[in-house]
Amino acid sequence: MDPNNKFTIGGGGEDGGSGTSGGLKEQERFLPIANVGRIMKQILPQNAKISKEAKETMQECVSEFISFVTSEASEKCKKERRKTVNGDDVCWALGALGFDDYAPPLTRYLHKYREIEGDNSSNNKTNTEEKDPPPRNNYI
């Protein structure tokens, strides 16, 4: 990762604490807090409550993590003169950044996902080809 590439989360960063970094508004840099809260609730007991502060803290952390991994994957793509970051690049970045426990399972998931999507794609093409043509308009 480029050591000069700094991510600022929350206030008090290089931007003077205005809540923006690189011209982006805070809400543009973070995942929607409702989505973060929904994910957090999935692993807690049904009657558990999550404070606004906890949701905001998690929102900042996951957004920073995504930026961190994506930046590493992007650097790899730049070195390889590619413009598109793909799932394999993200998996590679996780391993390169020391998240060795996560890279292999995520790689397996990605390959299974691609298999399923490939199957669904070919099934959709087959089903489309086998369908009867639409009825002709006899009012012409």
Side-chain angles (χ1 to χ4, degrees):
M1 192 168 100
D2 181 3
N4 297 322
N5 190 1
K6 297 177 183 171
F7 297 101
T8 304
I9 297 298
E14 294 177 355
D15 61 352
S18 66
T20 62
S21 176
L24 293 177
K25 294 179 185 173
E26 190 168 290
Q27 46 292 32
E28 293 171 344
R29 295 183 307 122
F30 294 153
L31 290 174
I33 198 155
N35 294 2
V36 172
R38 200 169 17 258
I39 293 167
M40 291 173 74
K41 283 184 176 185
Q42 289 176 356
I43 23 180
L44 295 173
Q46 199 168 16
N47 61 347
K49 298 194 185 285
I50 305 169
S51 71
K52 182 179 178 185
E53 179 187 34
K55 290 178 192 175
E56 289 172 349
T57 300
M58 186 61 74
Q59 179 188 38
E60 292 178 17
C61 290
V62 298
S63 298
E64 175 69 17
F65 179 76
I66 290 168
S67 295
F68 183 55
V69 174
T70 303
S71 177
E72 188 71 15
S74 178
E75 288 297 317
K76 177 182 188 276
C77 290
K78 285 179 188 173
K79 288 177 186 171
E80 295 175 0
R81 293 192 169 110
R82 292 187 292 120
K83 293 183 179 181
T84 304
V85 175
N86 62 39
D88 293 315
D89 298 321
V90 172
C91 293
W92 174 88
L94 285 168
L97 293 169
F99 297 101
D100 300 323
D101 292 342
Y102 299 98
L106 188 57
T107 302
R108 286 192 302 275
Y109 176 85
L110 179 62
H111 291 290
K112 286 180 182 176
Y113 173 81
R114 287 177 177 161
E115 286 175 17
I116 291 168
E117 284 299 303
D119 290 346
N120 288 344
S121 177
S122 61
N123 284 343
N124 287 341
K125 287 179 185 175
T126 303
N127 290 341
T128 304
E129 293 167 0
E130 292 175 358
K131 285 184 181 176
D132 292 330
R136 293 185 64 203
N137 187 347
N138 293 328
Y139 300 108
I140 299 178

